[in-house]
Amino acid sequence: MKTEFIKLDPACPDETMVRRAGEILKAGGLVAFPTETVYGLGGDALNPEASRKIYAAKGRPSDNPLIVHIADMDHLYPIARRVPESALRLAEVWWPGPLTMIFEKTDLVPYETSGGLDTVAVRMPNNSIALALIAASGGYIAAPSANTSGRPSPTTAEHVLGDLDGKIEMILDGGSVRIGLESTIVDFTEEVPVILRPGYVNRDKLEAVLGEVRMDPGLTDEGATAGLRPKAPGMRYRHYAPRAALTIVEGEEDRVVAKINALVREDEARGLKCGVIAPTESAGRYEARDVKNIGSLANDKEIASHLFRVLREFDDDGVDRIYSEAFNTPRMGDAIMNRLLKAAGHQIIEA
Ligand code: AMP
Ligand code: MG
């Protein structure tokens, strides 16, 4: 299949192009598009055949459900059986935005889209191209991240092309995404709302609207040690993984720098190519040849938005080993460390 690559101006997306992309989706085809979090691989969420194609194009396990993207609040009720008042309050503040909510699903949502579950994940993305495309496609786009399953999520249209060229009908290029990490997922099917995946909308922001919020115990270190599994199926798989083995080194800055420099020296003496991920504050202190400055600790949004790109760049550089500092920053630290730990297969050492 020939994949069409179309550049669009996010400030004013060409209507004819958006309509054409919408027609592809209505006909059961696949279109990748930008959102504010990462690029999504879209198919008609109400068409089981389209969802099957999404799993096939990504190589995604079919028990890992897809998020349904809507552009209009009225489109929520036909797919969600019970929408609690607290979820509406959250939508009022954060939709359109980087927030996904889980509800019991109606029969309109095929099990192919919900990964066999009786619940559905719904989000209204904050991106003009995405919103125009959803409206042009009939109102419901199932869209996981537009990467090959297991690879870092795509934050540019070129990343999507690298993974999915020849496998989907069209890629809409709207430039680099703003946030760079996937949406926060909150489950509203339990008594107290539960965070199933940390993201830009952090716990403090959720509590400001909802009051009590729980963290899925399967996501915490204690939960994992006790053998609990994350409730969101996608959080159970190794994910975001660069080709090189990645190790996180945690601790006080001087010790971390010394530890990583020692590890790199050992590896390089054995002929291995090493890369280091460090913040602006300490990047100059590393001896490795391939040091990537991921952004300043004073601005962790910058770190979040660079993470997946940096992991992909190490693939292109062909490094054998990557060492990263830990980023337990106050605002986005939970989300950044959740992705980094998964990319590292939970390899973390204390300096
Ligand atoms: P992605 O769109 O690639 O970021 O993946 C979507 C994430 O949402 C995966 O981790 C899924 O497991 C999760 N998800 C989607 N639908 C549900 C649901 N009904 N219940 C729990 N998790 C869900
Ligand atoms: Mg994904």
Side-chain angles (χ1 to χ4, degrees), residues 253-275:
E253 182 183 311
D254 285 343
R255 295 172 64 96
V256 169
V257 171
K259 179 79 183 176
I260 290 182
N261 278 336
L263 288 165
V264 166
R265 246 174 272 135
E266 261 174 53
D267 288 341
E268 289 188 343
R270 288 163 49 215
L272 297 174
K273 240 177 118 178
C274 294

Side-chain angles (χ1 to χ4, degrees), residues 57-61 64 147-151 163 237-240:
K58 279 179 63 81
R60 181 176 174 111
N64 188 4
N147 53 305
T148 299
S149 207
R151 292 210 70 203
D163 280 11
Y237 300 103
R238 174 129 199 249
H239 208 162
Y240 318 122

